């Protein structure tokens, strides 16, 4: 495992500062956009299966809501910290602006290890956390979604808890729900589908034939496992490396992705996958390949390992996988990085569709969802690529320039209250 020593909030601020400087934003606007608007810390008790009561800490941060209600996932992990949630909330603000959907940025998290908790404990933790943050969340104010270690079941518990307090069903309070209670077709694979679309566009720009490309994916959860499958099925890429928290597996001739999906489901991890050799997560990032897709967590590519990356294209499916020093090294080496705020925006885009469908009580077919997602992801990729080329910069800065300018303009037109 690559040890996370870098504070993601420092990374988020450094990226913002560079964009603000290039855009020539006023000092006042920089000061406003650098700070989260609201930060809620909740400490709450949960009764465990053995009868003991344990205290947990959770957060909900709203970075900016000038373009619309706050939107952002909820993460359950022992690594969650206030600064991590702040960074993720800020990235959500830029992400919604890059793809032009009317939301501001937020994020939430609880410090816990869901793998060591029973389903009953997880449900009680989720329902209590949802109640604690109900000060902030609501269909018009702040709409959470899944993130690391949270899934449609956790979303269903949050929707139910919020609805119990109101006395009627409020599906639009959260996205990523099961279809039967107001979830959207296509949401489960939306982030990965967006990753597949931007990978296809970036390969086109680099004159690389997807059918001749080898792909390594770090992280085999919602985003990583489905992205690997879609890249195999729809782009005909060869998947040569995969990993999860237990480590990685490698086969330069190609891994049978369906076998890997079955194996991981049966064994709880990829460890020991037949027809592959084991590698560590650190080694995985340095494997020879054409496309590298970090789809796990922050700060995986840093000044310490970026020079050894052999991929020609990096697609940031995870949030914040590359720190600014690695960015410089990769850029100097001519490696293209499709940034997180663009690459993984398919999830929030279909979350937006889910919210609209819930509010209208009118649901769309899967092909309609996928077509609209395709249009938005392709258009956003092209806008970012054009901006980057016109400004003589890389894709991350191109995306930041568009996003920060949009949010600054919205903030400017609303003015400073009172
Ligand atoms: P998940 O919990 O479904 O999967 C996470 C995967 O990462 C698992 O396979 C886990 O074993 C692996 N992992 C965890 N720690 C690791 C480590 N130290 N080294 C290597 N692998 C590790 O989470 P997810 O929803 O797939 O999210 C993955 C990333 O994508 C996160 O950065 C998240 O913020 C981002 N993201 C998710 C969504 C979404 O819709 N779920 C949307 C946008 C961005």
């Amino acid at each position: 495992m690559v040890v996370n020593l870098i504070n993601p909030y420092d990374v988020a601020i450094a990226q913002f500062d560079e964009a603000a400087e290039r855009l020539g934003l006023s000092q006042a606007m920089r000061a406003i956009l650098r700070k989260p608007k609201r930060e809620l810390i909740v400490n709450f008790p949960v009764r465990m299966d053995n009868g003991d009561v344990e205290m947990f800490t959770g957060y909900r941060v709203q970075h900016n809501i000038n373009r619309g209600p706050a939107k952002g996932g909820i993460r359950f992990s022992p690594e969650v910290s206030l600064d991590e949630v702040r960074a993720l909330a800020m990235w959500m603000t830029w992400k919604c602006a890059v793809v032009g959907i009317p939301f501001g940025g937020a994020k939430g998290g609880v410090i816990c290890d869901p793998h060591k908790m029973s389903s009953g404990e997880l449900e009680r933790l989720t329902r209590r956390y949802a109640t604690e943050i109900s000060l902030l969340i609501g269909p018009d104010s702040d709409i959470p979604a899944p993130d690391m270690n949270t899934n449609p079941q956790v979303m269903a518990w949050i929707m139910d808890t919020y609805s119990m307090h109101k006395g009627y069903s409020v599906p639009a309070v959260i996205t990523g729900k099961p279809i039967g209670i107001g979830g959207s077709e296509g949401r489960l694979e939306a982030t990965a589908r967006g990753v597949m679309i931007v990978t296809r566009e970036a390969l086109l720009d680099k004159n690389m034939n997807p059918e001749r490309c080898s792909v390594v994916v770090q992280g085999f959860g919602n985003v990583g496992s489905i992205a690997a499958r879609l890249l195999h099925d729809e782009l005909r890429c060869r998947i040569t490396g995969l990993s999860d928290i237990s480590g990685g597996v490698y086969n330069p001739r190609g891994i049978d992705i369906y076998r890997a999906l079955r194996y991981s489901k049966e064994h709880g991890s990829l460890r020991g996958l037949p027809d592959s050799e084991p590698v560590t997560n650190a080694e995985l990032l340095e494997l020879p390949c054409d496309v590298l897709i970090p789809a796990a967590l922050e700060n995986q590519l840093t000044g310490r390992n970026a020079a050894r990356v052999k991929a020609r294209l990096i697609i940031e499916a995870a949030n914040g996988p590359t720190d600014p020093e690695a960015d410089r090294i990769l850029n100097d080496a001519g490696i293209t990085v499709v940034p997180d705020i663009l690459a993984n925006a398919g999830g929030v885009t279909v979350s937006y569709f889910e919210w609209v469908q819930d509010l209208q009580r009118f649901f769309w077919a899967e092909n309609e969802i996928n077509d609209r997602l395709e249009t938005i992801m392709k258009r956003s990729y092209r806008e970012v690529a054009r901006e980057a080329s016109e400004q003589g910069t890389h894709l991350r800065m191109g995306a930041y320039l568009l996003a920060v300018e949009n949010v600054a303009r919205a903030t400017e037109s609303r003015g400073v209250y009172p």
Side-chain angles (χ1 to χ4, degrees):
M1 191 193 307
V2 180
V3 183
N4 194 350
L5 294 172
I6 302 156
N7 182 334
Y9 189 48
D10 290 342
V11 172
I13 290 284
Q15 291 165 338
F16 165 73
D17 283 347
E18 198 185 331
E21 186 63 29
R22 276 182 177 254
L23 288 167
L25 289 191
S26 69
Q27 289 307 323
M29 185 58 73
R30 290 182 206 204
I32 293 171
L33 297 182
R34 266 175 139 246
K35 285 266 184 220
K37 176 181 172 64
R38 292 192 181 108
E39 305 181 338
L40 178 64
I41 303 176
V42 292
N43 299 300
F44 57 93
V46 176
R47 192 169 299 282
M48 309 308 278
D49 289 345
N50 65 4
D52 290 352
V53 168
E54 271 184 36
M55 287 298 288
F56 288 87
T57 298
Y59 309 98
R60 185 74 187 167
V61 172
Q62 298 175 349
H63 170 253
N64 185 290
I65 54 170
N66 286 326
R67 296 183 60 261
K71 187 91 190 76
I74 290 172
R75 174 175 291 199
F76 289 171
S77 157
E79 319 289 314
V80 165
S81 68
L82 182 55
D83 272 353
E84 182 187 61
V85 178
R86 285 172 168 152
L88 290 161
M90 193 185 224
W91 287 326
M92 283 304 298
T93 302
W94 313 139
K95 191 179 301 178
C96 294
V98 167
V99 287
I101 58 177
F103 284 134
K107 206 79 181 189
V110 178
I111 305 172
C112 65
D113 189 346
H115 302 298
K116 295 192 177 137
M117 297 172 71
S118 72
S119 171
E121 289 170 341
L122 207 56
E123 177 174 354
R124 292 192 291 279
L125 175 138
T126 301
R127 288 185 181 277
R128 181 63 188 249
Y129 169 68
T131 306
E132 297 287 344
I133 64 165
S134 63
L135 294 170
L136 293 185
I137 65 172
D140 294 321
S141 55
D142 183 350
I143 305 115
D147 195 76
M148 263 178 73
N149 294 327
T150 56
N151 55 25
Q153 177 60 74
V154 173
M155 301 303 111
W157 288 328
I158 296 178
M159 179 271 201
D160 185 67
T161 302
Y162 188 87
S163 300
M164 285 297 138
H165 289 287
K166 290 285 173 196
Y168 51 89
S169 291
V170 190
V173 69
I174 198 152
T175 59
K177 300 178 293 295
I179 306 264
I181 56 167
S184 177
E185 297 286 351
R187 174 60 185 90
L188 199 63
E189 63 171 50
T191 308
R193 182 164 288 280
V195 166
M196 184 272 292
I197 294 166
V198 298
T199 306
R200 187 191 66 209
E201 297 300 309
L203 286 173
L204 196 66
D205 281 358
K206 285 181 82 77
N207 275 323
M208 290 164 72
N209 179 353
E211 298 189 15
R212 298 226 183 102
C213 284
S214 55
V215 178
V216 168
V217 184
Q218 183 196 41
F220 205 59
N222 171 272
V223 182
S225 71
I226 303 178
R229 174 171 61 76
L230 290 176
L231 261 75
H232 171 269
D233 286 356
E234 304 213 3
L235 302 188
R236 306 251 157 250
C237 297
R238 187 161 35 100
I239 309 299
T240 53
L242 295 169
S243 80
D244 57 30
I245 196 167
S246 75
V249 291
Y250 177 55
N251 181 343
R253 292 179 309 283
I255 293 172
D256 177 342
I257 179 67
Y258 284 95
R259 187 179 192 179
L261 287 164
R262 277 194 309 273
Y263 186 92
S264 162
K265 204 169 172 196
E266 277 164 26
H267 296 82
S269 81
L270 290 164
R271 189 200 294 266
L273 179 74
D275 278 339
S276 69
E277 58 180 277
V279 289
T280 64
N281 261 297
E283 288 163 348
L284 183 99
L285 299 171
E286 299 172 17
L287 288 173
C289 64
D290 297 300
V291 183
L292 175 64
I293 306 188
L297 66 175
E298 299 94 71
N299 293 327
Q300 296 303 293
L301 300 170
T302 69
R304 281 173 295 149
N305 62 359
R308 294 191 296 277
V309 168
K310 298 179 189 68
R312 294 165 66 195
L313 176 64
I314 296 173
I315 309 286
E316 293 186 334
N319 285 305
T322 313
D323 81 357
E325 201 185 338
D327 241 352
R328 273 189 294 279
I329 296 169
L330 297 169
N331 196 36
D332 290 349
I335 299 171
T336 302
V337 179
V338 181
D340 47 7
I341 58 171
L342 170 64
N344 68 35
V348 74
T349 301
V350 176
S351 273
Y352 166 57
F353 299 160
E354 181 173 334
W355 179 73
V356 168
Q357 292 171 86
D358 287 338
L359 291 175
Q360 298 184 342
R361 305 286 201 266
F362 181 72
F363 290 86
W364 314 341
E366 187 173 0
N367 64 337
E368 222 171 327
I369 303 271
N370 289 347
D371 287 352
R372 287 176 198 251
L373 175 65
E374 163 79 29
T375 305
I376 290 181
M377 292 305 296
K378 194 169 162 184
R379 184 194 64 211
S380 305
Y381 175 88
R382 287 291 144 213
E383 284 171 358
V384 167
R386 193 180 324 117
E387 178 75 7
S389 141
E390 282 173 13
Q391 302 299 325
T393 183
H394 45 71
L395 293 174
R396 186 183 317 280
M397 194 40 60
Y400 264 81
L401 293 175
L402 291 176
V404 173
E405 192 175 23
N406 274 341
V407 177
R409 213 180 300 127
T411 305
E412 185 77 44
S413 41
R414 288 183 62 157
V416 175
Y417 175 87

